[in-house]
Amino acid sequence: MDARGRSRRELLLAGGTALAGAAFLRLDRLVEAAPLEQGEEVIAWLDRPAEVPAPARDVIGQQLVWEELDAWITPNDRFFTIKHFGQPTIDMGSWRLEVTGQVGQPLSMTLDQLKARARQEVAFTLECAGSNGLPFFDGGIGNAAWAGTPLAPLLREAGVLEQGREVVFYGRDIGMQKVRDFEVTTPFARSLSVADAMDPNILLCYEMNGEPLPPSHGAPVRVLMPGWFGVANVKWLDRIEVIDTRFAGHFMARDYVTIREEQRDGQPVWVETLVGRALLKSAPARVTRKDGAYRVTGAAWGGPVAQVEVQVDDGAWMPATIDAGIGSEFTWKLWSMSWPGATAGEHTITSRAVDAAGNVQPATTDPRIANKRTYWESNGQITRRVLVA
Ligand SMILES: Nc1nc2c(c(=O)[nH]1)N[C@H]1C(S)=C(S)[C@@H](COP(=O)(O)O)O[C@H]1N2
Ligand SMILES: [Mo]
């Protein structure tokens, strides 16, 4: 373990230029990390996510199928996709990453120039802040080993000027939104404060699970922000602009805004906040049966997960076993619990994560969840239904 409590295996996944190839070879094995045992069968949940309605189908691509979660790494061809403005076509001959705005030295870089810079890897579980917020969206999550070059040294080279306040990341995909009575056409964009953008874990990412970043996930380059919700991880990146004010683009100021009712001195007030950092969460993935014995497995993420507990029906919370060795504060941890005395009939299964500081994933009745009127940041406890034959 190092100072941050990470195991050697996690360090291999988190970085190490010389070991890059070796780390990815290990990832091949991690794809097989939690297969079914001989004779173990998956029992499908009784509750099924609804079919994605037509308008949302342009945005939500494929989703994680929880019953199929049998590996720590999500393969690229099974990784969920979200695109708000469609997938842009990018001409690689003319593509450049521009670093502009409040910098001493604007930069313009080709993909080869970016790839020639220091290479860094990070494993990160990317979750859409809308996942579990809509009846047809429960699989907006996946875990991958990403690689690219760190952002901070590039910003230092460009030299953020004294008045620089935020760093805005622009995608190549352009969309139109109606604001009041007029239409605005802008690229997909999100920002971070200059201080947050200097996080050494943030990558200009061009590789996913050892392959070139696939077009649907932002090729040639996306920004990868471990610890933040999916929306911050701008795909099809082509411009980074340092500005001297707060950025208020559509996906910061109007969409991906959480609105909840809170009580102040006994009075209800509405609070509106921006979707930003990931939140503590867990989900039961599947129930399996082997020789009449039942097992519940799942995942927990969104912080330094220390503990996972499972509740069957209205019973007492029971501790699950977290898979040792694999996972960091940026990734999900897989867990399992044998389900002793599973009786015939219908049952509910609920899980909750507890982080290193003792924070517990909120119940759906917790005011933070119950009094939330928007569907973003739905990290309340998830209950699934299963039939034991
Ligand atoms: N340029 C661009 N970047 C984007 C988006 C987008 O629509 N356009 N969607 C964001 C959202 S809301 C999510 S959840 C993640 C999804 O990443 P994935 O499609 O690689 O899973 O990408 C983010 N980056
Ligand atoms: Mo998202």
Side-chain angles (χ1 to χ4, degrees):
M1 292 280 179
D2 73 346
R4 289 164 66 200
R6 295 183 301 180
S7 70
R8 191 173 142 67
R9 186 173 202 178
E10 287 162 27
L11 285 176
L12 279 175
L13 290 170
T17 312
L19 285 163
F24 279 125
L25 283 180
R26 287 166 155 265
L27 284 168
D28 288 350
R29 279 197 278 129
L30 290 175
V31 172
E32 307 289 329
L36 292 176
E37 287 170 26
Q38 188 94 51
E40 192 173 12
E41 57 176 316
V42 178
I43 304 169
W45 299 111
L46 289 176
D47 57 297
R48 314 289 315 160
E51 196 191 326
V52 180
R57 249 175 265 157
D58 293 338
V59 176
I60 302 177
Q62 68 178 339
Q63 299 186 46
L64 178 79
V65 179
W66 282 101
E67 285 98 327
E68 292 175 4
L69 180 70
D70 55 6
W72 187 71
I73 287 285
T74 313
N76 291 358
D77 59 2
R78 280 162 63 183
F79 206 97
F80 85 99
T81 60
I82 294 289
K83 50 176 173 20
H84 288 282
F85 296 155
Q87 186 174 313
T89 325
I90 294 177
D91 165 37
M92 279 315 295
S94 59
W95 182 89
R96 297 282 184 284
L97 177 66
E98 311 282 346
V99 183
T100 64
Q102 303 295 326
V103 293
Q105 176 61 60
L107 304 172
S108 175
M109 307 191 72
T110 64
L111 183 58
D112 284 343
Q113 286 171 323
L114 275 180
K115 285 186 172 171
R117 299 176 63 89
R119 181 194 148 89
Q120 190 169 303
E121 292 175 16
V122 69
F124 170 45
T125 301
L126 189 80
E127 188 195 13
C128 177
S131 199
N132 299 107
L134 296 162
F136 50 83
F137 189 35
D138 79 340
I141 185 167
N143 182 47
W146 314 83
T149 193
L151 171 69
L154 206 89
L155 288 177
R156 276 195 291 272
E157 267 170 52
V160 174
L161 299 177
E162 183 72 34
Q163 66 268 28
R165 229 174 136 186
E166 292 210 343
V167 182
V168 192
F169 302 88
Y170 285 95
R172 176 62 67 84
D173 48 333
I174 292 168
M176 191 268 293
Q177 288 112 20
K178 237 182 139 273
V179 182
R180 299 201 171 200
D181 59 351
F182 56 93
E183 289 172 355
V184 197
T185 307
T186 57
F188 183 94
R190 285 276 303 194
S191 75
L192 288 184
S193 70
V194 169
D196 283 343
M198 287 299 181
D199 180 340
N201 292 303
I202 297 178
L203 300 184
L204 299 171
C205 164
Y206 48 73
E207 244 179 66
M208 181 178 181
N209 290 331
E211 290 168 19
L213 186 68
S216 58
H217 296 291
V221 173
R222 81 183 302 169
V223 63
L224 193 88
M225 299 184 180
W228 294 74
F229 270 116
V231 68
N233 296 255
V234 176
K235 305 193 278 191
W236 310 297
L237 184 73
D238 65 359
R239 190 157 58 98
I240 298 174
E241 189 178 343
V242 180
I243 60 174
D244 62 4
T245 183
R246 301 287 305 275
F247 179 69
H250 181 82
F251 294 96
M252 308 265 317
R254 292 183 289 279
D255 208 352
Y256 286 83
V257 170
T258 293
I259 304 179
R260 64 162 64 81
E261 198 183 307
E262 292 182 7
Q263 296 293 320
R264 300 277 159 85
D265 304 323
Q267 295 297 313
V269 291
W270 291 97
V271 179
E272 298 168 275
T273 52
L274 167 66
V275 169
R277 292 181 196 276
L279 296 175
L280 184 66
K281 190 165 169 182
S282 70
R286 59 190 191 177
V287 172
T288 56
R289 172 176 50 213
K290 189 195 173 187
D291 303 330
Y294 289 78
R295 192 160 72 103
V296 187
T297 57
W301 65 93
V305 174
Q307 222 177 304
V308 176
E309 294 171 321
V310 177
Q311 184 187 41
V312 178
D313 302 325
D314 305 324
W317 289 95
M318 297 175 280
T321 306
I322 294 175
D323 281 8
I326 311 177
S328 72
E329 75 220 66
F330 299 135
T331 69
W332 63 22
K333 293 183 176 177
L334 303 185
W335 50 262
S336 71
M337 190 199 76
S338 70
W339 178 8
T343 53
E346 204 182 305
H347 297 282
T348 61
I349 306 283
T350 307
S351 68
R352 68 179 184 192
V354 182
D355 73 11
N359 299 304
V360 180
Q361 180 189 354
T364 49
T365 51
D366 185 296
R368 284 201 58 81
I369 302 297
N371 297 342
K372 187 166 68 63
R373 295 303 149 83
T374 43
Y375 60 84
W376 314 113
E377 301 186 283
S378 291
N379 70 318
Q381 293 165 19
I382 294 168
T383 298
R384 306 291 313 250
R385 290 189 297 117
V386 70
L387 183 67
V388 170

